[in-house]
Amino acid sequence: ELYSQHANVQFILLNRPFLETMSSHANDWGEEVVGRSNMIRGFMLILKRFLEYLRQEEEHNNSSGGMRGSRKKKTMATIVCADKIMSKNYESMYEATMARQHILDYLAEFLGWPSSRCPECYNTWKESKKDPVKVLGEKNLGLMLNDMKELEGMWPPLEAIGSGLPEQQCSL
């Protein structure tokens, strides 16, 4: 509210699948799988609480007219699922391109941009070629799958950010 006269602050959460996140820097953390998993899951919990707080503030401000009688504001946070923009998750590059454009259309609307045209937006996008199963190994994979079970129903925080688009249905 303090900066609302000068800036419009909004958050876009880029959600990456848990196993890919855990395997992305596996060489950096060596055998500390449990510690890294706990750290990432803790961060996810903090982020979820922050997003829930934002949603509660939005609802309060919208129902009370906001501080200083401001007009109804846009949603402050949304999600983009990294797995929904990865071409490896589609049958063809055309399907991936259409999904990516759909996400750009949504983000343009969310941010109030006049256009969602961005022909070069994904030109430098690099998809991980790592196989999380191979990188983590069977023992660590079992630990990660158990950790993922603890996140079910908690992540992604759809009650805090909404779940409008098929591209916002993130996998854990």
Side-chain angles (χ1 to χ4, degrees):
E1 196 63 40
L2 179 64
Y3 298 104
S4 64
Q5 295 176 358
H6 310 288
N8 182 24
V9 178
Q10 291 176 282
F11 300 91
I12 299 171
L13 170 65
L14 180 61
N15 183 78
R16 188 174 186 193
F18 186 74
L19 289 178
E20 289 191 18
T21 301
M22 289 300 299
S23 66
S24 67
H25 297 283
N27 295 335
D28 298 341
W29 46 269
E31 296 297 316
E32 293 298 318
V33 177
V34 174
R36 181 158 171 93
S37 177
N38 287 339
M39 178 187 69
I40 290 175
R41 287 182 300 125
F43 179 72
M44 293 165 83
L45 182 59
I46 291 168
L47 188 55
K48 176 185 167 99
R49 289 183 179 162
F50 172 70
L51 294 168
E52 287 171 343
Y53 169 79
L54 285 180
R55 180 57 57 111
Q56 290 171 354
E57 285 295 305
E58 288 172 8
E59 289 172 2
H60 172 74
N61 288 339
N62 289 339
S63 67
S64 67
M67 296 172 75
R68 298 189 206 110
S70 62
R71 60 183 164 79
K72 184 175 179 176
K73 295 183 179 177
K74 290 182 177 183
T75 302
M76 289 184 66
T78 193
I79 191 168
V80 171
C81 309
D83 57 320
K84 302 297 184 184
I85 56 178
M86 294 179 187
S87 61
K88 69 180 183 179
N89 294 323
Y90 294 93
E91 298 275 327
S92 68
M93 198 57 205
Y94 174 78
E95 287 179 3
T97 301
M98 294 309 295
R100 291 172 177 179
Q101 184 58 51
H102 197 205
I103 291 168
L104 286 174
D105 293 342
Y106 171 77
L107 288 176
E109 182 180 330
F110 173 75
L111 295 169
W113 291 347
S115 172
S116 64
R117 258 191 66 66
C118 186
E120 297 176 10
C121 276
Y122 293 99
N123 285 358
T124 58
W125 175 261
K126 293 181 182 171
E127 297 184 20
S128 176
K129 306 251 188 272
K130 293 180 183 176
D131 178 354
V133 175
K134 287 181 182 175
V135 172
L136 293 170
E138 285 189 39
K139 176 185 169 195
N140 291 333
L141 180 63
L143 293 170
M144 297 302 99
L145 293 175
N146 285 335
D147 288 349
M148 287 174 63
K149 285 180 185 174
E150 291 182 20
L151 293 169
E152 287 177 8
M154 195 260 318
W155 195 266
L158 297 178
E159 66 281 352
I161 53 175
S163 59
L165 291 176
E167 289 83 3
Q168 287 176 295
Q169 309 306 309
C170 302
S171 59
L172 187 57

